Amino acid sequence: QRKEDFDYLYGLSVVLPALEQKRRKFYRLFIQEGILFRRKESRTIPEKIKSLADEANIPIIETTKDELNKLLKDDRPHQGIILKASKLEPIKIKHLGKIYNNTVYVNYKLQTIVRYQVIKPFNSFMTLNFSPNGNRPFWLALDQVVDPQNLGAIISAPLSAVTTKASSGALEIMDVYNVDDLTNFLNESSQNGWMIYGAVSNVESNNISIKSAISIDELKNPLSHNPIILAIGSEGMGLRPNILNACHYHLYIPSSHANKLEYIDSLNVNAATAVLLQRFLGNKF
């Protein structure tokens, strides 16, 4: 196999969900010698990983810590477990469809289910359900965010072993999507009723109209009104102009110190994203 055809997944919090979710093909499980003979509390997860590998007929190779280190770069924290597996590929889509409500019987009771279509290439589609909790669906769109640590912290694509480790394995249990043209994705989704927010660090430097600029402090439960896409740009670059033009609102994080910069632009992208998600999703995040 060529290296680009597989990943070396490493760390207990990554390997375990990968084996449980079975979204990849598995080729080898490498286990550090002696890891299954540690204190009981520290070998519970390794024993579960080995059991799942046995059930899936995955070849298990016990080897030294030095040999495990050679499989990875930069002394990655493998914790004595490395899984050779196929790569995860994002789901290719074009844009998001309209929101509609369906009334169905659940346990002999009428219940409203919120649904919308995700349009794929060649006009095929998949339908997603959203629990009727009073809020609309929320999507996060990343524009040229390529650092694997930031990608992993935010949980996005392109997908790699470093990304899934940085996301503490969450990448193994959630879907990630990819579009060929983010501007078209936003414009076409907007036509179907999606409200687009674009994150900016400085309104004035982006030549943004004050009418479209909004502080996170001004957000008042926006998901109760519209389905939302939040667009985030890369550190230092921000959102590209064509992406900014596709946004209904330009969202910024204000400084809490009046005598300093009006806007916070020193947060790295995953920290800023966490702040923004908290404002949109609250205790659901």
Side-chain angles (χ1 to χ4, degrees):
Q1 287 178 309
R2 296 172 301 177
K3 182 65 180 77
E4 59 267 24
D5 292 334
F6 63 87
D7 278 330
Y8 281 128
L9 304 180
Y10 56 93
L12 304 181
S13 64
V14 173
V15 173
L16 180 57
L19 290 171
E20 290 177 332
Q21 297 301 313
K22 302 177 182 178
R23 301 176 68 184
R24 305 175 185 251
K25 292 181 181 179
F26 305 117
Y27 306 117
R28 295 281 190 280
L29 177 66
F30 299 91
I31 296 181
Q32 183 176 322
E33 294 172 343
I35 194 173
L36 300 178
F37 298 97
R38 296 174 178 174
R39 297 192 311 273
K40 183 176 181 180
E41 61 271 18
S42 63
R43 68 172 189 257
T44 301
I45 295 180
E47 286 177 344
K48 187 172 183 179
I49 288 173
K50 184 178 184 300
S51 176
L52 290 171
D54 285 332
E55 291 176 11
N57 295 316
I58 302 169
I60 299 174
I61 300 173
E62 291 195 28
T63 186
T64 65
K65 182 178 181 180
D66 287 340
E67 290 300 316
L68 292 179
N69 290 341
K70 292 178 183 179
L71 295 178
L72 305 176
K73 294 180 179 180
D74 305 324
D75 295 322
R76 300 287 181 184
H78 53 70
Q79 298 176 290
I81 295 284
I82 297 177
L83 177 63
K84 183 180 179 180
S86 63
K87 290 184 175 294
L88 275 181
E89 296 296 333
I91 302 168
K92 181 73 72 175
I93 62 173
K94 291 175 63 180
H95 59 88
L96 304 180
K98 294 181 178 179
I99 302 293
Y100 60 96
N101 296 333
N102 266 15
T103 303
V104 297
Y105 278 99
V106 178
N107 296 327
Y108 305 103
K109 293 182 180 180
L110 280 175
Q111 183 174 327
T112 299
I113 296 179
V114 179
R115 288 178 171 159
Y116 61 101
Q117 292 178 345
V118 178
I119 312 303
K120 302 172 72 175
F122 308 108
N123 292 322
S124 62
F125 64 86
M126 52 187 171
T127 300
L128 298 183
N129 294 342
F130 197 79
S131 58
N133 59 0
N135 285 334
R136 307 281 97 177
F138 178 90
W139 279 56
L140 182 66
L142 300 184
D143 179 33
Q144 299 185 320
V145 179
V146 294
D147 179 83
Q149 296 295 335
N150 282 329
L151 287 169
I154 298 172
I155 311 175
S156 186
L159 314 183
S160 69
V162 176
T163 306
T164 196
K165 176 61 178 177
S167 70
S168 298
L171 201 56
E172 301 297 323
I173 61 176
M174 67 175 296
D175 290 327
V176 176
Y177 302 86
N178 176 266
V179 298
D180 288 330
D181 190 318
L182 184 55
T183 304
N184 286 344
F185 168 81
L186 295 176
N187 285 331
E188 293 181 27
S189 299
S190 174
Q191 292 174 13
N192 287 324
W194 290 77
M195 190 65 64
I196 317 297
Y197 288 80
V200 296
S201 61
N202 191 309
V203 174
E204 293 178 359
S205 66
N206 285 288
N207 296 318
I208 289 170
S209 167
I210 297 301
K211 289 184 179 180
S212 68
I214 180 174
S215 162
I216 60 171
D217 295 334
E218 300 175 65
L219 291 176
K220 304 297 181 184
N221 195 18
L223 285 170
S224 64
H225 307 292
N226 300 97
I228 286 173
I229 300 171
L230 171 62
I232 303 283
S234 62
E235 286 183 40
M237 299 291 293
L239 292 171
R240 290 171 291 166
N242 53 329
I243 305 298
L244 286 170
N245 291 335
C247 298
H248 299 103
Y249 296 103
H250 301 100
L251 193 62
Y252 63 90
I253 303 172
S255 171
S256 58
H257 301 284
N259 60 339
K260 294 187 177 182
L261 291 175
E262 185 178 358
Y263 312 105
I264 293 179
D265 57 5
S266 60
L267 293 175
N268 67 6
V269 65
N270 59 313
T273 301
V275 173
L276 294 169
L277 291 181
Q278 177 65 34
R279 288 293 179 152
F280 279 101
L281 303 178
N283 58 14
K284 303 173 188 63
F285 173 55

